[in-house]
Amino acid sequence: MSEMRMRVSDEDREQTAQRLQRAFSEGRLTHPELDERLERALTAKTYADLLALIDDLPADEPRVGDVVELQQANGAVKRSGDWAVPRRLRAGSKYGAVDLDFSGAVIPHQVVEIELDLQYGNARITVPEGAVANIDGFQSTWGATRTDDVPSRPRPGALYFVITGRAKYGGLTVRYPRRRWFTH
């Protein structure tokens, strides 16, 4: 079954309704548009129904103070295990790699924005199972950019990673955690 045809929960409907109300309070929707979209959100059956209601709205903006910068000149930037993830993360290294593993991290928000700045290194980002990652805003001059079976379109209820930035002589790989074969 396609993910877009999958049935939504009451929580998914409520999250979409909250996002529509925020858009109205920001002046992005008129009152009649809000009423129409709220009615459709509360009766939606599939993810495709909900996405159609918020497709033309911008992603939630991070609050001031929700930005963390991780920079290295000659070494690797690495985060893994149990760590608190900010809404926006800027990571960079001039002569090293960036390795961010979100599979064991505490992520209290639905959207995580990652801005990468690499000169001579690669970035590897491991996202939790079920998360989605948009890498359209990342540019690499002399390296490969790829996602290993990680979808890029946002879905209600799924963690959404938006990855932007650049690498001059390096690339980007986004993947799910590796499965361990012989664990007890």
Side-chain angles (χ1 to χ4, degrees), residues 82-168:
D82 183 10
W83 61 292
V85 177
R87 289 183 190 274
R88 182 177 286 165
L89 181 65
R90 291 186 184 128
S93 180
K94 188 168 185 176
Y95 297 106
V98 171
D99 187 359
L100 303 173
D101 185 347
F102 294 93
S103 61
V106 176
I107 308 172
H109 26 267
Q110 287 296 119
V111 178
V112 177
E113 295 179 29
I114 302 168
E115 182 181 336
L116 299 170
D117 185 14
L118 300 165
Q119 290 294 314
Y120 297 96
N122 292 311
R124 182 176 64 196
I125 298 176
T126 304
V127 298
E129 287 290 337
V132 296
N134 182 330
I135 63 170
D136 293 343
F138 183 81
Q139 298 175 349
S140 177
T141 307
W142 295 99
T145 302
R146 65 188 181 117
T147 59
D148 290 347
D149 299 323
V150 177
S152 64
R153 293 185 52 194
R155 304 189 312 236
L159 280 173
Y160 183 50
F161 290 84
V162 179
I163 302 166
T164 60
R166 64 185 177 88
K168 190 168 185 177

Side-chain angles (χ1 to χ4, degrees), residues 23-49:
F24 173 73
S25 69
E26 295 168 351
R28 298 181 191 282
L29 296 175
T30 64
H31 199 275
E33 288 173 312
L34 174 66
D35 288 343
E36 177 198 346
R37 290 185 189 203
L38 281 176
E39 182 178 329
R40 290 175 46 202
L42 297 175
T43 59
K45 291 184 177 22
T46 65
Y47 285 114
D49 296 338

